[in-house]
Amino acid sequence: MDAGPVDAGPPAPLAFRLEFTLSDGGVAVFDEFDAGVVVEPARVVELSAPVALEGARVRLLDWTDSVVPSDDVLETSDAGFRYRIELVQPLKPGRSYAVLVDSESADRVTDLLGRDFDEWRLAFRVAGEVQPEPGQASKKSKKIRR
């Protein structure tokens, strides 16, 4: 007696990998993401996944959710997905960033097998002390003379 096709349920979450080419020439690799991921200042961020994704958009966002200026290269094949982000300037010490993977034109990202996935936000922080942004006024108190 044939029970018919078995429902495998929702697809397992994709296992993303982030590889950072650091400003000093070293490399740092992360396969798991939580609020505690800290990296040294980097000049290249590379995201990869073991399956090819269709219609995926990848953006590197800074602590204000603004897109970080970069030159990007997408490589996709049946074997997987690789997105290389070459930064115009290294990431700033002490600041939080996130790699956002979402759909460019649909509600969800799909893989080559037609499975749907929600968006991903992979957050990390750059090691070091936060430096004031150029052009910001310092927080000195001004004396008012009368």
Side-chain angles (χ1 to χ4, degrees), residues 91-133:
L91 299 177
K92 297 182 179 186
R95 299 293 188 170
S96 295
Y97 293 87
V99 174
L100 178 65
V101 182
D102 62 1
S103 176
E104 207 161 16
S105 59
D107 291 338
R108 300 178 139 215
V109 175
T110 59
D111 65 10
L112 290 179
L113 299 174
R115 296 179 294 188
D116 289 335
F117 298 94
D118 292 325
E119 72 177 35
W120 298 273
R121 188 177 186 96
L122 312 170
F124 61 93
R125 188 175 64 77
V126 178
E129 294 296 318
V130 174
Q131 301 298 315
E133 292 297 310

Side-chain angles (χ1 to χ4, degrees), residues 47-107:
L47 173 76
S48 59
V51 285
L53 301 174
E54 293 183 332
R57 174 175 60 178
V58 178
R59 294 174 288 164
L60 178 61
L61 305 175
D62 67 12
W63 60 98
T64 66
D65 271 350
S66 297
V67 175
V68 176
S70 62
D71 293 320
D72 300 357
V73 178
L74 168 65
E75 297 174 20
T76 187
S77 68
D78 292 342
F81 175 89
R82 179 171 293 226
Y83 197 90
R84 182 177 173 88
I85 302 167
E86 295 185 19
L87 301 164
V88 173
Q89 296 181 350
L91 299 177
K92 297 182 179 186
R95 299 293 188 170
S96 295
Y97 293 87
V99 174
L100 178 65
V101 182
D102 62 1
S103 176
E104 207 161 16
S105 59
D107 291 338

